């Protein structure tokens, strides 16, 4: 079993839809959780960064962490064609200076106008 | 913001040659830099972690003599792929980290070895 599981999709939705992206993980030591957006042939861009269980909202994006279920989600409200990209979840055990990220495979999202 | 640049963005080389990729943090000092490799439709795989002024820490299965990392300053790290072979063709991405913050990624370098 991989440490981080993420459905690669592809996921296709109409403009304006609510998008739900998810990752599960097996290592209960993970404490820090991130979502990155990666456009084709570009480096990942940090979207959300959370530490504790619960919800964190930033504009149209909401990150949700459930440590008891080892499950994290990213919700995108009022999705736009510009949101079309690959979304990567990432997590880390330590927040110290040498912490390492473990990534999911990424979910390819297409928002159709 | 936190901007990380990479150079070159794309490189094509012959088998057996060496290629150097630069990673710079433009508007902050990075205590730690990371190098990743990403194959098509795959996620990022960490290759090594480097701190300024010290030797890089390589992940299991990554040959340190083949992938040379130099972290000469708080704003610059270089990855040199020595004696490159076609199987080294990949998308190489660096990231940089501030003291108590998460990682910010560069735009990536696409390496093609003929």
């Amino acid at each position: 079993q991989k440490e981080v599981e993420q459905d690669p999709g592809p996921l296709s939705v109409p403009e304006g839809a609510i998008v739900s992206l998810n990752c599960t993980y097996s290592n209960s030591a993970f404490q820090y959780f991130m979502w990155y957006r990666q456009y084709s042939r570009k480096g990942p861009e940090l979207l959300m960064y959370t530490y504790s269980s619960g919800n964190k909202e930033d504009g149209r994006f909401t990150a949700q962490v459930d440590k008891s279920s080892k499950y994290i989600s990213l919700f995108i409200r009022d999705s736009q064609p510009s949101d079309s990209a690959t979304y990567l979840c990432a997590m880390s055990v330590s927040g110290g200076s040498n912490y390492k990220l473990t990534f999911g495979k990424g979910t390819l999202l297409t928002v159709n106008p | 913001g936190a901007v990380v640049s990479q150079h070159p963005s794309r490189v094509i080389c012959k088998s057996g040659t060496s290629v150097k990729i630069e990673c710079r943090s433009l508007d902050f000092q990075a205590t730690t830099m990371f190098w990743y490799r990403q194959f098509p439709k795959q996620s990022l795989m960490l290759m090594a972690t480097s701190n300024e002024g010290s030797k890089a820490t390589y992940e299991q299965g990554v040959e340190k003599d083949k992938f040379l990392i130099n972290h000469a300053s708080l704003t610059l790290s270089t990855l040199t792929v020595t004696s490159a072979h076609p199987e080294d063709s990949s998308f190489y991405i660096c990231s940089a980290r501030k003291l108590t913050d998460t990682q910010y990624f560069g735009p990536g370098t696409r390496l093609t070895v003929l």
Side-chain angles (χ1 to χ4, degrees):
Chain A
Q1 181 188 13
K2 289 187 177 178
E3 278 196 297
V4 180
E5 298 275 4
Q6 183 177 9
D7 185 342
L11 181 62
S12 182
V13 301
E15 183 174 354
I18 296 175
V19 176
S20 173
L21 304 166
N22 312 294
C23 287
T24 59
Y25 60 96
S26 57
N27 187 351
S28 58
F30 285 135
Q31 298 294 323
Y32 298 81
F33 305 92
M34 285 133 279
W35 285 95
Y36 286 87
R37 176 174 62 195
Q38 186 177 24
Y39 293 110
S40 181
R41 299 175 183 267
K42 300 291 184 184
E45 170 195 8
L46 179 65
L47 284 177
M48 301 288 282
Y49 175 56
T50 58
Y51 169 70
S52 57
S53 283
N55 294 354
K56 181 177 180 179
E57 192 173 316
D58 184 359
R60 296 185 295 112
F61 299 92
T62 299
Q64 193 174 77
V65 174
D66 183 348
K67 289 185 180 179
S68 62
S69 301
K70 298 190 184 67
Y71 188 88
I72 68 170
S73 300
L74 177 70
F75 299 96
I76 307 174
R77 291 185 298 281
D78 187 25
S79 56
Q80 303 295 310
S82 58
D83 294 328
S84 299
T86 296
Y87 289 80
L88 299 156
C89 65
M91 42 198 83
S92 171
V93 170
S94 168
S97 60
N98 276 328
Y99 85 114
K100 300 188 297 187
L101 293 179
T102 301
F103 283 87
K105 268 191 149 182
T107 300
L108 177 61
L109 170 67
T110 301
V111 180
N112 301 299
Chain B
V3 181
V4 178
S5 70
Q6 275 183 250
H7 178 79
S9 59
R10 194 168 191 171
V11 58
I12 300 173
C13 69
K14 292 182 179 180
S15 185
T17 60
S18 294
V19 173
K20 180 185 282 189
I21 303 170
E22 288 187 352
C23 176
R24 292 181 186 272
S25 55
L26 298 184
D27 54 358
F28 67 99
Q29 292 188 323
T31 53
T32 308
M33 287 185 167
F34 303 83
W35 286 96
Y36 293 83
R37 183 166 50 182
Q38 186 178 35
F39 291 106
K41 299 190 178 181
Q42 297 294 317
S43 191
L44 285 79
M45 296 300 295
L46 179 65
M47 298 175 67
T49 302
S50 73
N51 292 303
E52 183 260 342
S54 59
K55 289 185 178 180
T57 302
Y58 290 81
E59 294 301 298
Q60 192 173 12
V62 178
E63 300 173 58
K64 62 181 181 181
D65 294 330
K66 181 170 183 61
F67 299 99
L68 301 178
I69 292 172
N70 185 289
H71 194 157
S73 74
L74 285 171
T75 59
L76 173 64
S77 177
T78 60
L79 168 68
T80 301
V81 183
T82 63
S83 186
H85 291 284
E87 57 266 28
D88 298 323
S89 298
S90 187
F91 194 48
Y92 291 85
I93 307 176
C94 73
S95 70
R97 186 171 187 249
K98 297 178 188 179
L99 189 59
T100 57
D101 206 340
T102 190
Q103 296 179 30
Y104 296 90
F105 285 83
T109 297
R110 184 158 303 279
L111 170 65
T112 303
V113 184
L114 302 176

CSV table of all heavy atoms in Angstrom, one decimal, chain A residues 2 34 36 38 41-46 49 88-89 94-101 103-106, chain B residues 10 32 34 36 38 41-44 46 49 51 59 91 93 97 101-108 110:
chain,number,residue,atom,x,y,z
A,2,LYS,N,0.6,2.2,-0.9
A,2,LYS,CA,1.4,3.4,-1.0
A,2,LYS,C,1.0,4.3,0.2
A,2,LYS,O,-0.1,4.2,0.7
A,2,LYS,CB,1.0,4.1,-2.3
A,2,LYS,CG,1.6,3.4,-3.5
A,2,LYS,CD,1.5,4.3,-4.8
A,2,LYS,CE,2.1,3.6,-5.9
A,2,LYS,NZ,1.9,4.4,-7.2
A,34,MET,N,-0.8,19.6,2.5
A,34,MET,CA,-0.7,20.7,1.5
A,34,MET,C,-1.5,20.2,0.2
A,34,MET,O,-1.5,19.0,-0.1
A,34,MET,CB,0.7,21.0,1.1
A,34,MET,CG,1.4,21.8,2.2
A,34,MET,SD,3.1,21.2,2.6
A,34,MET,CE,2.7,19.8,3.7
A,36,TYR,N,-1.3,21.3,-3.9
A,36,TYR,CA,-0.6,22.1,-4.9
A,36,TYR,C,-1.4,21.9,-6.2
A,36,TYR,O,-2.0,20.9,-6.5
A,36,TYR,CB,0.8,21.5,-5.1
A,36,TYR,CG,1.8,21.8,-4.1
A,36,TYR,CD1,1.9,21.0,-2.9
A,36,TYR,CD2,2.6,22.9,-4.2
A,36,TYR,CE1,2.8,21.3,-1.9
A,36,TYR,CE2,3.6,23.3,-3.2
A,36,TYR,CZ,3.7,22.4,-2.1
A,36,TYR,OH,4.6,22.7,-1.1
A,38,GLN,N,-0.7,22.1,-10.3
A,38,GLN,CA,0.3,22.1,-11.3
A,38,GLN,C,-0.3,22.2,-12.7
A,38,GLN,O,-1.0,21.3,-13.1
A,38,GLN,CB,1.2,20.8,-11.2
A,38,GLN,CG,2.4,20.8,-12.1
A,38,GLN,CD,3.2,19.5,-11.9
A,38,GLN,OE1,2.8,18.5,-11.4
A,38,GLN,NE2,4.5,19.6,-12.2
A,41,ARG,N,3.5,21.1,-17.7
A,41,ARG,CA,4.9,21.5,-18.0
A,41,ARG,C,5.3,22.7,-17.1
A,41,ARG,O,6.2,23.4,-17.4
A,41,ARG,CB,5.1,21.8,-19.4
A,41,ARG,CG,4.8,20.7,-20.4
A,41,ARG,CD,4.9,21.1,-21.8
A,41,ARG,NE,4.6,20.0,-22.7
A,41,ARG,CZ,5.5,19.1,-23.2
A,41,ARG,NH1,6.7,19.3,-22.9
A,41,ARG,NH2,5.1,18.2,-24.0
A,42,LYS,N,4.7,22.8,-15.9
A,42,LYS,CA,5.1,23.8,-15.0
A,42,LYS,C,5.3,23.2,-13.6
A,42,LYS,O,4.9,22.1,-13.3
A,42,LYS,CB,4.0,24.9,-14.8
A,42,LYS,CG,3.6,25.6,-16.1
A,42,LYS,CD,4.8,26.5,-16.6
A,42,LYS,CE,4.4,27.3,-17.8
A,42,LYS,NZ,5.5,28.1,-18.3
A,43,GLY,N,6.0,23.9,-12.7
A,43,GLY,CA,6.2,23.5,-11.4
A,43,GLY,C,4.9,23.6,-10.5
A,43,GLY,O,4.0,24.4,-10.9
A,44,PRO,N,4.8,22.9,-9.5
A,44,PRO,CA,3.6,23.0,-8.6
A,44,PRO,C,3.5,24.3,-7.9
A,44,PRO,O,4.5,24.9,-7.5
A,44,PRO,CB,3.8,21.8,-7.6
A,44,PRO,CG,4.8,20.9,-8.2
A,44,PRO,CD,5.7,21.8,-9.0
A,45,GLU,N,2.3,24.8,-7.7
A,45,GLU,CA,2.0,26.0,-7.0
A,45,GLU,C,1.2,25.7,-5.8
A,45,GLU,O,0.2,25.0,-5.8
A,45,GLU,CB,1.2,26.9,-8.0
A,45,GLU,CG,0.6,28.2,-7.3
A,45,GLU,CD,-0.4,28.8,-8.2
A,45,GLU,OE1,-0.8,28.2,-9.2
A,45,GLU,OE2,-0.9,29.9,-7.9
A,46,LEU,N,1.7,26.2,-4.6
A,46,LEU,CA,1.0,26.0,-3.4
A,46,LEU,C,-0.3,26.6,-3.3
A,46,LEU,O,-0.4,27.8,-3.5
A,46,LEU,CB,1.9,26.4,-2.2
A,46,LEU,CG,1.3,26.2,-0.8
A,46,LEU,CD1,1.2,24.8,-0.5
A,46,LEU,CD2,2.1,26.9,0.2
A,49,TYR,N,-2.3,25.1,2.9
A,49,TYR,CA,-1.3,24.5,3.8
A,49,TYR,C,-2.0,24.4,5.1
A,49,TYR,O,-2.5,25.4,5.7
A,49,TYR,CB,-0.1,25.4,3.9
A,49,TYR,CG,0.9,25.0,4.9
A,49,TYR,CD1,1.5,23.7,4.9
A,49,TYR,CD2,1.4,25.9,5.9
A,49,TYR,CE1,2.5,23.3,5.8
A,49,TYR,CE2,2.4,25.5,6.8
A,49,TYR,CZ,2.9,24.2,6.7
A,49,TYR,OH,3.9,23.9,7.6
A,88,LEU,N,-2.3,18.2,-6.8
A,88,LEU,CA,-1.4,17.2,-6.0
A,88,LEU,C,-1.6,17.5,-4.5
A,88,LEU,O,-1.5,18.6,-4.0
A,88,LEU,CB,0.0,17.4,-6.3
A,88,LEU,CG,0.5,17.2,-7.8
A,88,LEU,CD1,1.8,18.0,-8.0
A,88,LEU,CD2,0.7,15.8,-8.0
A,89,CYS,N,-1.9,16.4,-3.8
A,89,CYS,CA,-1.9,16.5,-2.3
A,89,CYS,C,-0.5,16.1,-1.9
A,89,CYS,O,0.2,15.4,-2.6
A,89,CYS,CB,-2.9,15.6,-1.7
A,89,CYS,SG,-2.6,13.8,-1.9
A,94,SER,N,7.2,15.9,9.6
A,94,SER,CA,7.8,16.9,10.4
A,94,SER,C,7.7,18.3,9.8
A,94,SER,O,7.8,18.5,8.6
A,94,SER,CB,9.3,16.5,10.6
A,94,SER,OG,10.0,17.6,11.2
A,95,GLY,N,7.6,19.3,10.7
A,95,GLY,CA,7.7,20.7,10.2
A,95,GLY,C,9.0,21.3,10.4
A,95,GLY,O,9.2,22.5,10.2
A,96,GLY,N,10.0,20.5,10.8
A,96,GLY,CA,11.3,20.9,11.0
A,96,GLY,C,12.1,21.3,9.8
A,96,GLY,O,11.6,21.2,8.7
A,97,SER,N,13.3,21.7,9.9
A,97,SER,CA,14.0,22.3,8.8
A,97,SER,C,14.3,21.3,7.7
A,97,SER,O,14.5,21.7,6.5
A,97,SER,CB,15.4,22.9,9.3
A,97,SER,OG,16.1,21.9,9.9
A,98,ASN,N,14.3,20.1,7.9
A,98,ASN,CA,14.6,19.1,6.8
A,98,ASN,C,13.4,18.3,6.5
A,98,ASN,O,13.5,17.1,6.0
A,98,ASN,CB,15.8,18.2,7.2
A,98,ASN,CG,17.1,18.9,6.9
A,98,ASN,OD1,17.2,19.6,6.0
A,98,ASN,ND2,18.1,18.6,7.7
A,99,TYR,N,12.2,18.8,6.7
A,99,TYR,CA,11.0,17.9,6.5
A,99,TYR,C,10.9,17.6,5.0
A,99,TYR,O,11.3,18.4,4.2
A,99,TYR,CB,9.8,18.6,7.0
A,99,TYR,CG,9.1,19.6,6.1
A,99,TYR,CD1,7.9,19.3,5.5
A,99,TYR,CD2,9.7,20.8,5.7
A,99,TYR,CE1,7.2,20.2,4.7
A,99,TYR,CE2,9.1,21.6,4.9
A,99,TYR,CZ,7.9,21.3,4.4
A,99,TYR,OH,7.3,22.2,3.5
A,100,LYS,N,10.3,16.5,4.7
A,100,LYS,CA,10.2,16.0,3.4
A,100,LYS,C,8.7,15.8,3.0
A,100,LYS,O,7.9,15.4,3.9
A,100,LYS,CB,10.9,14.6,3.2
A,100,LYS,CG,12.4,14.7,3.5
A,100,LYS,CD,13.1,13.4,3.1
A,100,LYS,CE,12.5,12.2,3.9
A,100,LYS,NZ,13.3,11.0,3.7
A,101,LEU,N,8.4,16.1,1.8
A,101,LEU,CA,7.0,16.0,1.4
A,101,LEU,C,6.8,14.6,0.6
A,101,LEU,O,7.7,14.2,-0.1
A,101,LEU,CB,6.6,17.1,0.4
A,101,LEU,CG,6.5,18.5,1.0
A,101,LEU,CD1,6.2,19.5,-0.1
A,101,LEU,CD2,5.5,18.5,2.1
A,103,PHE,N,4.1,13.0,-1.9
A,103,PHE,CA,3.0,13.5,-2.8
A,103,PHE,C,2.1,12.3,-3.2
A,103,PHE,O,2.5,11.2,-3.3
A,103,PHE,CB,3.6,14.1,-4.1
A,103,PHE,CG,4.2,15.4,-3.9
A,103,PHE,CD1,5.5,15.6,-3.5
A,103,PHE,CD2,3.4,16.6,-4.2
A,103,PHE,CE1,6.0,16.9,-3.3
A,103,PHE,CE2,3.9,17.8,-4.0
A,103,PHE,CZ,5.2,18.0,-3.6
A,104,GLY,N,0.9,12.7,-3.5
A,104,GLY,CA,0.0,11.8,-4.2
A,104,GLY,C,0.3,11.9,-5.7
A,104,GLY,O,1.1,12.7,-6.1
A,105,LYS,N,-0.4,11.0,-6.5
A,105,LYS,CA,-0.1,11.0,-7.9
A,105,LYS,C,-0.6,12.2,-8.6
A,105,LYS,O,-0.2,12.5,-9.8
A,105,LYS,CB,-0.7,9.7,-8.5
A,105,LYS,CG,0.3,8.6,-8.6
A,105,LYS,CD,-0.3,7.5,-9.4
A,105,LYS,CE,0.7,6.7,-10.1
A,105,LYS,NZ,0.2,5.6,-11.0
A,106,GLY,N,-1.6,12.9,-8.0
A,106,GLY,CA,-2.2,14.0,-8.7
A,106,GLY,C,-3.5,13.6,-9.4
A,106,GLY,O,-3.6,12.5,-9.9
B,10,ARG,N,14.6,24.1,-20.5
B,10,ARG,CA,14.6,22.9,-21.3
B,10,ARG,C,16.0,22.7,-21.8
B,10,ARG,O,16.7,23.6,-22.2
B,10,ARG,CB,13.7,23.2,-22.5
B,10,ARG,CG,13.3,22.0,-23.3
B,10,ARG,CD,12.2,22.3,-24.3
B,10,ARG,NE,11.6,21.1,-24.8
B,10,ARG,CZ,10.5,21.0,-25.6
B,10,ARG,NH1,9.9,22.1,-25.8
B,10,ARG,NH2,10.1,19.9,-26.1
B,32,THR,N,16.8,25.5,3.0
B,32,THR,CA,16.8,24.1,2.4
B,32,THR,C,16.3,24.1,1.0
B,32,THR,O,15.3,24.8,0.7
B,32,THR,CB,16.0,23.1,3.3
B,32,THR,OG1,16.3,23.2,4.6
B,32,THR,CG2,16.2,21.7,2.8
B,34,PHE,N,15.3,21.4,-2.3
B,34,PHE,CA,15.0,20.0,-2.6
B,34,PHE,C,15.0,19.8,-4.1
B,34,PHE,O,14.6,20.8,-4.9
B,34,PHE,CB,13.6,19.7,-2.1
B,34,PHE,CG,13.4,19.9,-0.6
B,34,PHE,CD1,13.0,21.1,-0.2
B,34,PHE,CD2,13.5,18.8,0.2
B,34,PHE,CE1,12.9,21.3,1.2
B,34,PHE,CE2,13.3,19.0,1.6
B,34,PHE,CZ,13.0,20.2,2.1
B,36,TYR,N,13.5,17.3,-7.2
B,36,TYR,CA,12.5,16.2,-7.5
B,36,TYR,C,12.7,15.8,-8.9
B,36,TYR,O,13.2,16.6,-9.8
B,36,TYR,CB,11.1,16.7,-7.3
B,36,TYR,CG,10.7,17.1,-5.8
B,36,TYR,CD1,11.0,18.3,-5.3
B,36,TYR,CD2,10.0,16.1,-5.1
B,36,TYR,CE1,10.7,18.6,-4.0
B,36,TYR,CE2,9.6,16.4,-3.8
B,36,TYR,CZ,9.9,17.6,-3.2
B,36,TYR,OH,9.6,17.9,-2.0
B,38,GLN,N,10.1,14.1,-12.0
B,38,GLN,CA,8.7,13.7,-12.3
B,38,GLN,C,8.7,13.2,-13.7
B,38,GLN,O,9.0,13.8,-14.7
B,38,GLN,CB,7.8,15.0,-12.2
B,38,GLN,CG,6.4,14.7,-12.4
B,38,GLN,CD,5.5,15.9,-12.2
B,38,GLN,OE1,5.9,17.0,-12.6
B,38,GLN,NE2,4.3,15.8,-11.7
B,41,LYS,N,2.9,11.7,-16.3
B,41,LYS,CA,1.7,11.2,-15.6
B,41,LYS,C,2.1,10.5,-14.2
B,41,LYS,O,1.3,9.7,-13.7
B,41,LYS,CB,1.0,10.2,-16.5
B,41,LYS,CG,0.5,10.9,-17.7
B,41,LYS,CD,-0.5,10.0,-18.5
B,41,LYS,CE,-1.0,10.7,-19.7
B,41,LYS,NZ,-2.0,9.9,-20.5
B,42,GLN,N,3.2,10.9,-13.7
B,42,GLN,CA,3.6,10.4,-12.4
B,42,GLN,C,3.8,11.6,-11.4
B,42,GLN,O,3.8,12.7,-11.8
B,42,GLN,CB,4.9,9.6,-12.4
B,42,GLN,CG,4.9,8.4,-13.3
B,42,GLN,CD,4.0,7.3,-12.7
B,42,GLN,OE1,4.0,7.0,-11.5
B,42,GLN,NE2,3.2,6.7,-13.6
B,43,SER,N,3.8,11.3,-10.1
B,43,SER,CA,3.9,12.3,-9.2
B,43,SER,C,5.4,12.7,-9.0
B,43,SER,O,6.3,12.1,-9.6
B,43,SER,CB,3.3,11.9,-7.8
B,43,SER,OG,3.2,13.0,-7.0
B,44,LEU,N,5.6,13.7,-8.2
B,44,LEU,CA,7.0,14.1,-7.9
B,44,LEU,C,7.7,13.1,-7.0
B,44,LEU,O,7.1,12.7,-6.0
B,44,LEU,CB,7.0,15.5,-7.2
B,44,LEU,CG,6.7,16.7,-8.1
B,44,LEU,CD1,5.3,16.9,-8.4
B,44,LEU,CD2,7.3,18.0,-7.5
B,46,LEU,N,11.0,12.7,-4.7
B,46,LEU,CA,12.1,13.4,-4.1
B,46,LEU,C,13.4,12.7,-4.4
B,46,LEU,O,13.5,11.5,-4.2
B,46,LEU,CB,11.9,13.6,-2.6
B,46,LEU,CG,13.0,14.3,-1.8
B,46,LEU,CD1,13.1,15.8,-2.2
B,46,LEU,CD2,12.8,14.2,-0.3
B,49,THR,N,17.8,16.2,-0.7
B,49,THR,CA,17.6,17.4,0.1
B,49,THR,C,19.0,18.1,0.4
B,49,THR,O,19.9,17.4,0.8
B,49,THR,CB,17.0,17.1,1.5
B,49,THR,OG1,15.7,16.4,1.3
B,49,THR,CG2,16.7,18.3,2.3
B,51,ASN,N,21.1,21.4,2.2
B,51,ASN,CA,21.2,22.6,3.0
B,51,ASN,C,22.5,23.4,2.6
B,51,ASN,O,23.5,22.8,2.3
B,51,ASN,CB,21.3,22.3,4.5
B,51,ASN,CG,20.0,21.7,5.0
B,51,ASN,OD1,19.0,22.3,4.9
B,51,ASN,ND2,20.1,20.5,5.5
B,59,GLU,N,17.9,10.4,-1.4
B,59,GLU,CA,16.9,9.4,-1.1
B,59,GLU,C,17.4,8.0,-1.6
B,59,GLU,O,18.3,7.9,-2.5
B,59,GLU,CB,15.6,9.7,-1.9
B,59,GLU,CG,14.9,11.0,-1.3
B,59,GLU,CD,14.6,10.9,0.1
B,59,GLU,OE1,13.8,10.0,0.5
B,59,GLU,OE2,15.1,11.7,0.9
B,91,PHE,N,11.5,15.4,-16.1
B,91,PHE,CA,11.2,16.8,-15.7
B,91,PHE,C,11.8,16.9,-14.3
B,91,PHE,O,11.4,16.2,-13.4
B,91,PHE,CB,9.7,17.0,-15.7
B,91,PHE,CG,9.2,18.4,-15.6
B,91,PHE,CD1,9.8,19.4,-16.4
B,91,PHE,CD2,8.2,18.8,-14.7
B,91,PHE,CE1,9.3,20.7,-16.4
B,91,PHE,CE2,7.8,20.1,-14.7
B,91,PHE,CZ,8.3,21.0,-15.5
B,93,ILE,N,12.5,19.2,-11.0
B,93,ILE,CA,11.9,20.4,-10.4
B,93,ILE,C,12.6,20.6,-9.0
B,93,ILE,O,12.8,19.6,-8.3
B,93,ILE,CB,10.4,20.2,-10.1
B,93,ILE,CG1,9.7,19.8,-11.4
B,93,ILE,CG2,9.8,21.4,-9.5
B,93,ILE,CD1,8.2,19.5,-11.2
B,97,ARG,N,12.8,26.3,0.5
B,97,ARG,CA,12.1,26.4,1.8
B,97,ARG,C,12.7,27.5,2.6
B,97,ARG,O,13.9,27.6,2.9
B,97,ARG,CB,12.1,25.1,2.6
B,97,ARG,CG,11.2,25.2,3.8
B,97,ARG,CD,11.0,23.8,4.4
B,97,ARG,NE,10.0,23.8,5.4
B,97,ARG,CZ,10.3,23.6,6.7
B,97,ARG,NH1,11.6,23.5,7.1
B,97,ARG,NH2,9.4,23.6,7.6
B,101,ASP,N,8.7,27.6,6.9
B,101,ASP,CA,7.6,27.7,5.9
B,101,ASP,C,7.6,26.5,5.0
B,101,ASP,O,8.5,25.6,5.1
B,101,ASP,CB,7.7,29.0,5.1
B,101,ASP,CG,6.4,29.5,4.6
B,101,ASP,OD1,5.5,28.7,4.5
B,101,ASP,OD2,6.3,30.7,4.3
B,102,THR,N,6.6,26.4,4.2
B,102,THR,CA,6.5,25.3,3.3
B,102,THR,C,7.4,25.5,2.0
B,102,THR,O,8.1,26.4,1.9
B,102,THR,CB,5.1,25.0,2.9
B,102,THR,OG1,5.0,23.7,2.2
B,102,THR,CG2,4.5,26.0,2.0
B,103,GLN,N,7.3,24.5,1.1
B,103,GLN,CA,8.2,24.6,0.0
B,103,GLN,C,7.6,25.4,-1.2
B,103,GLN,O,6.4,25.2,-1.4
B,103,GLN,CB,8.5,23.2,-0.5
B,103,GLN,CG,9.3,22.3,0.5
B,103,GLN,CD,9.5,20.9,0.0
B,103,GLN,OE1,9.6,20.7,-1.2
B,103,GLN,NE2,9.6,20.0,0.9
B,104,TYR,N,8.4,26.1,-1.9
B,104,TYR,CA,8.0,26.8,-3.1
B,104,TYR,C,8.8,26.2,-4.2
B,104,TYR,O,10.0,26.1,-4.2
B,104,TYR,CB,8.2,28.3,-2.9
B,104,TYR,CG,7.4,28.9,-1.8
B,104,TYR,CD1,7.9,29.0,-0.5
B,104,TYR,CD2,6.1,29.4,-2.1
B,104,TYR,CE1,7.1,29.5,0.5
B,104,TYR,CE2,5.3,29.9,-1.1
B,104,TYR,CZ,5.8,30.0,0.2
B,104,TYR,OH,5.0,30.5,1.2
B,105,PHE,N,8.0,25.9,-5.3
B,105,PHE,CA,8.6,25.1,-6.4
B,105,PHE,C,9.1,26.0,-7.5
B,105,PHE,O,8.5,27.1,-7.8
B,105,PHE,CB,7.6,24.1,-6.9
B,105,PHE,CG,7.5,22.9,-6.0
B,105,PHE,CD1,6.7,23.0,-4.9
B,105,PHE,CD2,8.3,21.8,-6.2
B,105,PHE,CE1,6.5,21.9,-4.0
B,105,PHE,CE2,8.1,20.7,-5.4
B,105,PHE,CZ,7.3,20.8,-4.3
B,106,GLY,N,10.1,25.6,-8.2
B,106,GLY,CA,10.5,26.3,-9.4
B,106,GLY,C,9.7,25.8,-10.6
B,106,GLY,O,8.8,24.8,-10.4
B,107,PRO,N,9.8,26.3,-11.8
B,107,PRO,CA,9.0,26.0,-12.9
B,107,PRO,C,9.4,24.7,-13.6
B,107,PRO,O,8.7,24.2,-14.5
B,107,PRO,CB,9.2,27.2,-13.9
B,107,PRO,CG,10.6,27.7,-13.5
B,107,PRO,CD,10.7,27.5,-12.1
B,108,GLY,N,10.5,24.1,-13.2
B,108,GLY,CA,11.0,22.8,-13.8
B,108,GLY,C,11.9,22.9,-14.9
B,108,GLY,O,11.9,24.0,-15.6
B,110,ARG,N,13.0,20.5,-18.3
B,110,ARG,CA,12.8,19.3,-19.0
B,110,ARG,C,14.1,18.9,-19.7
B,110,ARG,O,14.6,19.6,-20.5
B,110,ARG,CB,11.7,19.5,-20.1
B,110,ARG,CG,11.3,18.2,-20.8
B,110,ARG,CD,10.0,18.3,-21.4
B,110,ARG,NE,8.9,18.5,-20.5
B,110,ARG,CZ,8.4,17.6,-19.7
B,110,ARG,NH1,8.8,16.4,-19.7
B,110,ARG,NH2,7.4,18.0,-18.9
